[in-house]
Each structure stands twice: as C-alpha cells, then as structure tokens.
Amino acid sequence: MKSLVNRQLDFMGKRRVAFAISGLMLLVSIASLLFQQLNLGLDFTGGTLVEVRYAVAPSLDAVRQILEDTGFRDVSVQTFGASTEVLIRLQQAFDPDVGEQVVNLLRDAGDEVELVRAEFVGAQVGDQLRDQSGMGLLVALGIVMLYVAFRFQYKFAIGALLALMHDVIIVVGLFSLFQWEFDLTVLAALLAVIGYSLNDTIVVYDRIRETIRKSRIDDMPTIFNEAINMTLSRTLATSGTTLLVLLALLLLGGDMIHFFSIALIAGVVVGTFSSIYVAAALLLAVKLDREDLIPAKKEDPEAEELP
C-alpha cells in the first residue's frame, strides 16, 4: 500500500496552497464585480440591432471603424451565419432611420450593402433577461445540491455546491476584470460550465466514496490522493479533448461565439482545478469520515427482549 501511495501525486498535501490560490482568484473576481461590474451586452442593456448583407465578405474591423468614426458609440460587429451577413449592435436609443443611416455610411465607403432588418431591444427586456438568468443559475445550483446530497451525503453536497459557486464566480469575474462583453451566449456557457464541472466532481466523489469503503486505513488525505490519482488520467483526457474543441471554436468560430468559447475554456480549466482542490479538499475541511458512508444499523427489538 505504501509503495503505491509513494508513486502517486500528493494533491491533498498541497491543498492549503490551492486554497490560497482559489481565495485570491475569488477575491479579485468579487472586487472586480463590485467596483467595475460587468460589461453587459445588448441582450441585457437594450439598444439597436442592424443586420446588413454584403456582396463580398467585409472586414469587420473596417465596418466597426467606419461607424465609430461617424459618431456611433459602443459598436459591436460580427458575422451572422454566412460571412457576408453582418450583425451590428448599437447601444443607443432606437431611431427608425438608423438602418438606412448605417447602410448609407457603409455604401459611402465603397461597399455594396443592403439592409436586412433594423430593430430595437428594450431595456425592460434586458432587465427581465438578467433577473431570469440569475434565477436560473440559483435554481441550477440548488438542484445540484439536492442531487449530490441524495446520491452521496450532505457533506458531499456542501463541497460540490461551493466548488460550482467557485467556478461561476471566477469565470464571471474574468469577464468583469477584462471588461469582455457579457451576453446571453456567455450565460449559456456558464450553465454548460456548471454541468461540466459537476460531472467531473461526481466522478471524483464516486471514486472517493468507493475507496473509503474498500480501504482499511483511516488516513483520509491518503485515501483521497489514491482516489484522485485513479481518476486523474480520465480527468486530463476529458479536459484536454474538450479544450482542443473549444480552441478550434475560438480560433475558427467567428465573433458570434468568441466570448462563448472564452467562457467555456476558462470554465473547463477552473472546473478541472476545483474538482480536485476545492470539491475534494473541502471534504477534509468538513471532516468527512468512514462513519458518514456507513448506514446506521437498525436495532433488533426481538434481540432486546431476550434475557
């Protein structure tokens, strides 16, 4: 047993360093959210959407520069479907003539452009989306806690919930810190991060529970190290292949899913870290022991009546 453990990585021995790193990341994220807040996209703040169609695929940077040079502010430009379809987001009050104004400016630059649609997204809709999305995240976290408590034990549920909150806060904090645009695609990525991180945590928890039941020692850090090392190859393979796909989306997917890809990449990295150093290590902090996983024996009333 000792020779096996000695060849394993001592994850639990570094848990205090990992807690310090997590604490620092959480502190920076929360401070940024409090003082700098999020750079909310048009989905949440309201504004004007203008969709145009080019004869030849344009340079998005050039389109953005043309509009900014003529007085439009907070301009977001991205392809929408085909490379010749361009969606322009303007964070300003709606003007019925804004679509024609944008098209005329782009035509003056020498491009062949036609207007597809121009519409307004109201701030009231943005408020509803923000409130409903926040409630959706809370409901998802609550259901996760109930599921883990039912499948494992309430101490596992505490660890899983704190780990998921850790992942969400850090990913959102990154968007606040670097002022990346936070829109509905990023919100969808956050929900995907919750699912990914939970799946990874469940795999680790399942192996920890199994190892505790089979092991004859009571040294919990050693048992946890053995369980995590047994799942390490699976965790790294899953995270690695997922990151390869996400990097392809980031580099080739275009502006439409740019921040979606960034949110998922950050979530996979942070989620993999938290599955080991937050979700698992927190079980030591809440003093999980063998008795927590052994059902209490029912007393036999007939045995008590025997002399």
Side-chain angles (χ1 to χ4, degrees):
M1 177 72 178
K2 290 184 179 179
S3 61
L4 174 64
V5 172
N6 290 335
R7 294 199 300 268
Q8 295 177 341
L9 297 175
D10 184 16
F11 290 106
M12 294 300 99
K14 306 295 189 298
R15 66 183 184 277
R16 290 180 178 83
V17 175
F19 280 157
I21 295 173
S22 290
L24 179 61
M25 290 191 294
L26 286 172
L27 183 62
V28 171
S29 298
I30 293 172
S32 181
L33 287 169
L34 288 176
F35 296 106
Q36 193 163 255
Q37 300 184 346
L38 288 169
N39 176 24
L40 295 175
L42 190 64
D43 297 325
F44 295 103
T45 60
T48 302
L49 285 175
V50 178
E51 184 182 349
V52 296
R53 181 181 295 115
Y54 279 78
V56 180
S59 167
L60 298 183
D61 290 334
V63 173
R64 185 183 301 106
Q65 193 63 47
I66 292 170
L67 295 176
E68 290 178 347
D69 290 344
T70 52
F72 288 101
R73 56 186 178 83
D74 298 324
V75 179
S76 173
V77 181
Q78 61 192 50
T79 54
F80 186 69
S83 60
T84 55
E85 301 279 343
V86 176
L87 188 65
I88 301 168
R89 300 167 182 256
L90 309 170
Q91 292 187 358
Q92 63 184 55
F94 182 70
D95 183 343
D97 298 325
V98 69
E100 292 296 334
Q101 293 173 10
V102 168
V103 169
N104 289 334
L105 288 172
L106 298 177
R107 286 173 179 168
D108 291 342
D111 295 314
E112 185 178 343
V113 191
E114 64 175 299
L115 177 65
V116 177
R117 63 186 171 105
E119 57 189 42
F120 178 66
V121 178
Q124 183 177 1
V125 176
D127 292 339
Q128 291 175 354
L129 287 172
R130 185 171 58 249
D131 295 341
Q132 292 174 1
S133 61
M135 182 60 66
L137 283 175
L138 291 176
V139 170
L141 291 174
I143 292 175
V144 164
M145 187 171 184
L146 291 175
Y147 167 75
V148 177
F150 176 78
R151 178 171 175 179
F152 293 93
Q153 199 257 0
Y154 79 92
K155 292 181 180 179
F156 287 89
I158 294 173
L161 179 64
L162 293 178
L164 292 180
M165 291 176 63
H166 165 277
D167 299 345
V168 170
I169 291 173
I170 289 177
V171 173
V172 174
L174 279 174
F175 274 78
S176 172
L177 185 63
F178 294 104
Q179 285 296 286
W180 293 328
E181 184 177 329
F182 189 95
D183 56 18
L184 286 180
T185 63
V186 178
L187 177 63
L190 281 180
L191 294 174
V193 166
I194 290 177
Y196 179 91
S197 182
L198 176 63
N199 177 69
D200 211 19
T201 299
I202 292 298
V203 171
V204 174
Y205 275 1
D206 199 44
R207 188 52 60 92
I208 287 175
R209 179 177 60 178
E210 179 183 348
T211 307
I212 289 175
R213 288 174 173 174
K214 290 182 178 180
S215 177
R216 296 183 179 180
I217 64 174
D218 292 324
D219 186 355
M220 286 298 161
T222 300
I223 293 174
F224 281 28
N225 278 332
E226 182 181 353
I228 294 170
N229 275 278
M230 285 190 288
T231 62
L232 186 60
S233 59
R234 177 263 175 204
T235 298
L236 294 179
T238 303
S239 300
T241 52
T242 304
L243 286 174
L244 287 176
V245 174
L246 293 176
L247 285 172
L249 288 177
L250 178 65
L251 297 174
L252 305 174
D255 290 346
M256 178 67 75
I257 58 173
H258 180 74
F259 291 119
F260 172 82
S261 303
I262 290 178
L264 280 178
I265 289 172
V268 168
V269 173
V270 175
T272 302
F273 173 85
S274 71
S275 296
I276 297 172
Y277 280 118
V278 179
L282 280 173
L283 295 180
L284 294 178
V286 298
K287 301 187 183 303
L288 180 76
D289 54 33
R290 192 184 306 277
E291 285 70 24
D292 291 323
L293 302 177
I294 299 176
K297 294 183 179 180
K298 296 182 180 181
E299 296 183 358
D300 189 352
E302 295 182 359
E304 293 180 355
E305 295 176 359
L306 294 176

